[in-house]
Amino acid sequence: MPASPSPDRAAGRLTLENLALDHRDANGKPFRLFDMPPLTVEPGSRFGISGPSGCGKSSLLHLIAGLLRPSQGRILWNDRAVSELSESGRDRWRRETIGFVFQDFHLIPELDIAANVALPARFSGWRLSAVEKERAAALARRMGLPDPRRRAALLSRGEQQRVAIARALFTRPRLILADEPTASLDTGHAAEVADLLLETVTESGATLICATHDPALLARFGQRLDLTPTAQRRAA
């Protein structure tokens, strides 16, 4: 009988309890970037986050991923308060649960497409198995990248975006966070990349939370949050 998935690997409900995040301005004065009412994202949901530049969309994704700690409130995965874990605990939870499509891609130019896609596996072992190598190549092909041996330094921005999405899917995460996945693309390529992202997420059954300015992409999400920045007031 196959082993049951760990609590981190199982489908999860994401709950944000009264989140707030404080920052400091250029003069060092504290201000509250945003306050949020309670929010629950059910397993398998497609959730879009909109709002003007500087309102905290990327920061909210970083909070959910455990890269930042909230100034107020909690983040729960099922009944586990991940925002209260130690740094090493959040690192482990992130590796086992999340795929992140970063706005700036964060590819390694010297590595080829397949090696960049398989980067998450390097956190648990130095050598890739044959199965992992084939999965990386298959994901690259699925993203319209037929030559997985091409170096990342030779790729267009649209191709780099496809590699970034494939990498986020590599570990079969239950929660995918995408930060402006179509921002660097023209309209035609943006629609194509959005199709690929949504199709592959639907097939995997993962939850997708996406921060974007793209109205065409936002229209495809079942739930949406318009993140309005809090007035630049001093934090309590």
Side-chain angles (χ1 to χ4, degrees), residues 9-220:
R9 294 293 299 174
R13 175 183 293 105
L14 180 71
T15 304
L16 310 181
E17 291 186 344
N18 302 306
L19 282 190
L21 182 64
D22 297 335
H23 273 328
R24 291 182 180 272
D25 63 20
N27 297 316
K29 294 182 179 179
F31 67 91
R32 179 141 292 176
L33 183 60
F34 60 73
D35 284 292
M36 284 182 54
L39 177 66
T40 297
V41 182
E42 297 294 338
S45 297
R46 297 176 177 183
F47 193 95
I49 303 171
S50 62
S53 297
C55 70
K57 297 189 298 298
S58 294
S59 294
L60 177 55
L61 294 183
H62 290 175
L63 282 172
I64 294 170
L67 296 168
L68 295 175
R69 282 187 182 272
S71 303
Q72 174 184 301
R74 297 195 304 166
I75 299 164
L76 293 92
W77 182 250
N78 291 323
D79 295 323
R80 188 181 190 189
V82 297
S83 56
E84 297 175 359
L85 296 174
S86 66
E87 184 174 353
S88 61
R90 296 197 311 276
D91 286 345
R92 178 180 179 275
W93 177 79
R94 187 165 48 250
R95 286 197 306 270
E96 295 190 347
T97 310
I98 288 178
F100 209 127
V101 183
F102 292 97
Q103 186 172 354
D104 294 325
F105 310 141
H106 294 300
L107 305 184
I108 299 179
E110 296 79 13
L111 297 183
D112 62 29
I113 290 172
N116 272 286
V117 171
L119 271 177
R122 298 294 189 185
F123 292 112
S124 56
W126 178 247
R127 291 184 179 275
L128 295 178
S129 68
V131 171
E132 289 171 327
K133 290 178 181 178
E134 175 51 35
R135 175 163 174 77
L139 279 169
R141 291 191 294 267
R142 177 65 190 277
M143 290 293 150
L145 300 164
D147 182 5
R149 308 315 304 176
R150 287 183 68 201
R151 287 195 302 120
L154 304 177
L155 303 178
S156 68
R157 287 191 66 80
E159 289 171 323
Q160 291 179 54
Q161 183 69 82
R162 292 165 187 260
V163 176
I165 293 172
R167 182 182 58 195
L169 295 166
F170 181 78
T171 60
R172 297 181 175 87
R174 306 317 305 152
L175 175 60
I176 295 174
L177 306 176
D179 192 1
E180 300 285 3
T182 61
S184 62
L185 308 176
D186 60 42
T187 302
H189 285 100
E192 189 176 353
V193 165
D195 286 343
L196 285 169
L197 175 62
L198 294 170
E199 285 170 10
T200 51
V201 166
T202 298
E203 289 169 8
S204 71
T207 301
L208 171 63
I209 301 178
C210 178
T212 181
H213 284 101
D214 185 343
L217 181 55
L218 277 172
R220 302 177 67 174

